[in-house]
Amino acid sequence: MLESLLFLIMGSITIACALCVVFQKNPIYSAIFLIQTMVSLAVLYVLLHAQFIAAIQVMIYAGAIMVLFIFVIMLLNLSKADEEGERDNLFFQKPSAIILGFILVVMIGTVTLKTVFQGVKGEYTPETISQIGNTQLVGKMLFTKYVFPFEIASILLFAAIIGAIILAKKRIIED
Amino acid sequence: MIPLTWYLILSGILFSIGAVGVLIRRNAIVIFMCIELMLNAVNLAFITFSRQLNSMDGQIFVFFIMTVAAAEAAVGLAIIIAIYRNKATVNVDDINLMKW
């Protein structure tokens, strides 16, 4: 009972903040509402017994990635540039996009409600997870079954660091 | 215990809001944030199925999605900075060099 109440509260906060992300004029407000969306999603992850993911959701998404976004917004000083930028060149774009989004929601909803979800149940019930520890299980999986993707992820991050530096630095040969 | 379809429907709503945001906004950074919103919706669906099937694999996938999202955010924002430096705008209507 308390759980479903918490779900309803956090779910409505998530949806409201997600709508604010899309419909706010100022990009910095969008970014702050996106942080709130991510934090309330972290609460939902805790409700789903994924504590480790909830923690890294707050740390990586709400912490690192969104700080990067806000940093770039402030670096480019976008709040002024945005106001004249959001003029409507295509008058039918907004209404048709909203109608299409509504159709997408209805489609996903019907498919979800009609489908009977089946599948082979694994061994990690919430009781087992709370006994061993969620973080410990994630770590064990990362270094046994998923060790190769884990190594690839490190190479990907390395490539991303180099790519970001190369792209964002000033050209020396420019003038 | 909450029925897991609720989570999936919430995930679907979040994904659709993100998709609508990509379609209606013209600021490249806000479009980027909407893509992050869609990635988060997918993460929620992954965790829901992981909980339903009593398996840890979904959570590991979310871990990798977060890694890719971090890399994507870093490179994408660097591209936006480079575009801003060249054209002094992040409005996607003005960035139309590849339009024929």
Side-chain angles (χ1 to χ4, degrees):
Chain A
M1 186 57 217
L2 196 66
E3 214 184 328
S4 15
L5 193 67
L6 191 57
F7 172 82
L8 286 177
I9 294 171
M10 294 324 285
S12 31
I13 290 177
T14 313
I15 292 174
C17 290
L19 284 173
C20 287
V21 171
V22 174
F23 291 108
Q24 281 290 333
K25 280 268 176 271
N26 195 334
I28 204 99
Y29 294 158
S30 291
I32 286 166
F33 277 114
L34 190 56
I35 293 176
Q36 177 56 46
T37 314
M38 281 157 179
V39 171
S40 32
L41 272 175
V43 176
L44 292 176
Y45 293 167
V46 172
L47 278 181
L48 286 167
H49 300 273
Q51 292 90 352
F52 177 70
I53 299 295
I56 61 170
Q57 167 92 2
V58 173
M59 279 194 286
I60 295 179
Y61 258 124
I65 296 182
M66 290 318 293
V67 165
L68 201 63
F69 271 94
I70 290 178
F71 187 72
V72 170
I73 292 169
M74 289 183 167
L75 192 72
L76 302 187
N77 196 13
L78 281 182
S79 55
K80 265 183 282 170
D82 192 51
E83 274 165 27
E84 40 120 22
E86 290 274 333
R87 59 188 184 276
D88 278 333
N89 287 345
L90 283 172
F91 67 94
F92 53 86
Q93 186 178 6
K94 262 187 189 176
S96 50
I98 290 169
I99 291 168
L100 284 174
F102 192 71
I103 293 173
L104 188 60
V105 171
V106 173
M107 273 166 60
I108 294 174
T110 27
V111 168
T112 314
L113 290 175
K114 294 253 180 203
T115 318
V116 182
F117 292 106
Q118 292 169 327
V120 187
K121 295 246 178 184
E123 48 187 321
Y124 298 110
T125 55
E127 291 76 42
T128 333
I129 291 176
S130 55
Q131 213 170 28
I132 305 173
N134 184 267
T135 314
Q136 206 170 340
L137 279 173
V138 170
K140 206 176 121 198
M141 291 285 267
L142 268 184
F143 286 103
T144 51
K145 192 176 171 188
Y146 290 99
V147 66
F148 189 59
F150 185 69
E151 297 296 332
I152 291 177
S154 72
I155 296 173
L156 175 77
L157 282 175
F158 186 56
I161 294 167
I162 295 175
I165 292 172
I166 297 286
L167 281 169
K169 83 171 180 189
K170 254 202 158 73
R171 296 271 159 76
I172 304 167
I173 335 162
E174 201 168 23
D175 29 45
Chain B
M1 163 104 194
I2 308 160
L4 291 169
T5 42
W6 291 14
Y7 285 103
L8 293 176
I9 287 172
L10 175 65
S11 156
I13 292 173
L14 278 181
F15 189 88
S16 313
I17 292 173
V20 169
V22 170
L23 289 177
I24 68 175
R25 292 308 298 262
R26 303 236 164 70
N27 188 326
I29 291 184
V30 180
I31 289 177
F32 223 67
M33 286 196 267
C34 292
I35 293 174
E36 296 291 328
L37 198 61
M38 288 156 83
L39 282 170
N40 266 289
V42 174
N43 282 353
L44 183 62
F46 261 120
I47 302 251
T48 310
F49 282 122
S50 143
R51 168 78 184 77
Q52 181 169 29
L53 297 174
N54 290 337
S55 138
M56 290 299 285
D57 299 65
Q59 300 188 19
I60 307 289
F61 268 89
V62 171
F63 182 84
F64 287 123
I65 290 175
M66 279 182 182
T67 317
V68 173
E72 172 236 343
V75 175
L77 288 171
I79 290 174
I80 289 175
I81 290 178
I83 288 173
Y84 188 81
R85 193 171 285 145
N86 282 328
K87 305 198 65 149
T89 178
V90 288
N91 189 338
V92 289
D93 276 349
D94 298 335
I95 308 166
N96 52 6
L97 266 180
M98 290 174 85
K99 198 170 161 187
W100 57 285

